[in-house]
Structures are given as C-alpha cells and as structure tokens.
Amino acid sequence: MVSSLYLLSEGMWKSLEISAGLRIGHFSGDGNWYPEWRWSCSRAMGEHFRLKSGLFRTHQFIHRLRPQSLALNHSDLWVWSGSTTVPVMRSDQFSAGFNYTRKAWTLDVEGYFKGNRGVMEYLPPFLNAIIPGDSLLFGSGYASGVDVLLGYNRRGHHVWLAYSLMKTANDFGNAVGNAVPEWFDQRHEVKVTYQWEKTNWEFASALFIGTGRPFTPLLGSFEIPLEQGGSVTSPVFGPLHSLRMRPYYRLDLAAGWKADYKGVHYAVRATVFNTWNQTNERDIRYTGVYSSASNVIFLENRINMTGIIPGIQLLVKW
C-alpha cells in the first residue's frame, strides 16, 4: 500500500508560468518514505509561440516481468517491490519543447530524457538449460526521445499527425556486457487520426504504424556430453533483445449517429478495430520439445495481437 501527501503551487514569476509540486509517499512494502517532485514552467513568446519545460521524479513500486521457459508458456507477471530481491525503481525525467498555434494549425514538439535506477529483467535464456530456472537482473538505464504533434481543426474536420522517436538502454553490468533496450522500445511510431462531425453524424479513423519491438533470438543448440553417457541438448541464445519483430500496422474505423428527441438522447456507433485484420506480433518465445529420448528440438512461438474486432454500441440517455 502507498500513502502519500501532495502539495502543489502555481503562479507567475516575471514572464514565467510556474507549477511546482511535492509528493511524499510511504510504501508499506519496505516501510520507507519516497519524496517526489514535479516542476514545470512555460513562457509565451508572442501571440502564437510558447516555450515549455519540466522536471519530474517518480517511483515505481510494481514491476512487470515477462518470464520465459523452454518447457512452459508463462503469462506476464506483476511483482511488488520492497522485498530483498526486488528494488523500488526511481525515475528522473527532464523535458523541454514548444507549442505553436496559428489559425487552424497546431504544432507541438517536446524532447525528453528519463534516467532510471532499479530496472529489472527476467533472463532465463542465458542459463543454457532445457528447463531454466528464475534469473533476475537489476541495473540502471535511460529512455530518451522526441514527440511531434501536428494538428488541423476547421469546420468539423479534425486531423492529427503524431510522430514519436524513442530509444531506451539498460546496463546490467558484467551479467550482459552490452546496452539492452527495453522490451517496449519502439524506435519509430506514426499515428494519423481524422475525425469529421456534422449535425447528427460523425466519422473517425486512426492509423498506427510502428517499427518492431525487441526480442531475444534463438541461434541454435549444441549437445553437452554427460559423464554417465549420453548427452543433453542446450540452446544458444543471442544477446538480450538484440533483434526486432516485424513492423506494427493497424487501422481503426468508427461511424456514428446521434439525436435528441423529447428529452431523450440516442446514439448509435459502429466500430472496426484492426480493419485490415493485420497480424501484429506481441512477442516471440521458444519451446523445447523432445523428438526422442535424448534429443530436443526448440520451436519458435510467435504470439500475435488481437485481429479484427467489429462492434456496435447503442446508447440511450434520459
């Protein structure tokens, strides 16, 4: 359980709009107090242009683990911090950018750098066993990137083009020996949304395009001879998160009609998630299968995301 006290102050200092806050939290998992601060400021540079920046500190008390086993298909696990083996993750983030608005156009650009301490990674593939046991790595890392948003709004037409550039890297010391990207690292992502509204009708579409996320490749296997005779098959994995899955594509569509009659509001909305029924990969994992009494074959399992999902919503309010 997390208990916290939060203080916030907003005001003007010369030509700067400043917002400063402090939150002090107590985490029952380890009995410690964790101070967090939040500071942001902005300054108008004329009628259409504004500069902005911010500095934040946060703590994460729960971790998402992606366990992998050559014998079992594990789902993702959520693990609380506070034990002797799972630390609380601390993040310090700095961001800076600008906003430009003129007539129907809006341009927003922001860059950020986020330093992390207490990152964790589940690493059974490096144990080189047919049924690996748990292996947790702890270290530090960072995430940096730039977000660009271009918007156009006029006469019921709303168009938004968003681009994100992100890079993450974690350092686990001698256990890995190289910078490891986070599993959610998506280097490039583009989102295009369009919405049209007129009287009782509305239409919306959203297109998502992104580069593939990292995974750990299986390079092959080799036989280890045993003293009592025979051998055991051991997998050989490449560096952690060293390859990328296929790019991500998705198109969502929605159309609706709404009206009011005698104090009652009616709305009908039809949606299609993943209209193209695109096969997008969520993860790539491996399974060891015995082809004989002593020989093991390692199979690649590509776990896909949800395909096309049509839906209809009817809403009545009175």
Side-chain angles (χ1 to χ4, degrees), residues 70 124-125 127-132 218-222 233-237 298:
L70 296 176
L127 298 183
N128 290 329
I130 296 178
I131 306 178
L218 176 66
L219 303 181
S221 62
F222 66 97
T233 306
S234 179
V236 179
F237 287 87
F298 298 101

Side-chain angles (χ1 to χ4, degrees), residues 48-50 52 96-102 104-112 145-153 158-165 189-194 207-208:
H48 307 287
F49 193 79
R50 176 176 292 272
K52 57 182 179 178
F98 68 88
N99 179 275
Y100 178 80
T101 303
R102 188 177 183 88
W105 293 92
T106 298
L107 175 62
D108 191 276
V109 179
E110 184 172 273
Y112 63 89
V146 177
D147 295 324
V148 180
L149 180 65
L150 178 64
Y152 176 83
N153 297 275
H158 311 282
V159 183
W160 294 96
L161 172 62
Y163 169 72
S164 295
L165 171 66
E189 184 181 51
V190 176
K191 300 178 183 178
V192 183
T193 63
Y194 170 73
L207 174 65
F208 303 84

Side-chain angles (χ1 to χ4, degrees), residues 85-103:
T85 57
V86 182
V88 174
M89 189 175 81
R90 189 185 78 186
S91 300
D92 294 303
Q93 176 172 322
F94 172 76
S95 62
F98 68 88
N99 179 275
Y100 178 80
T101 303
R102 188 177 183 88
K103 294 182 179 180

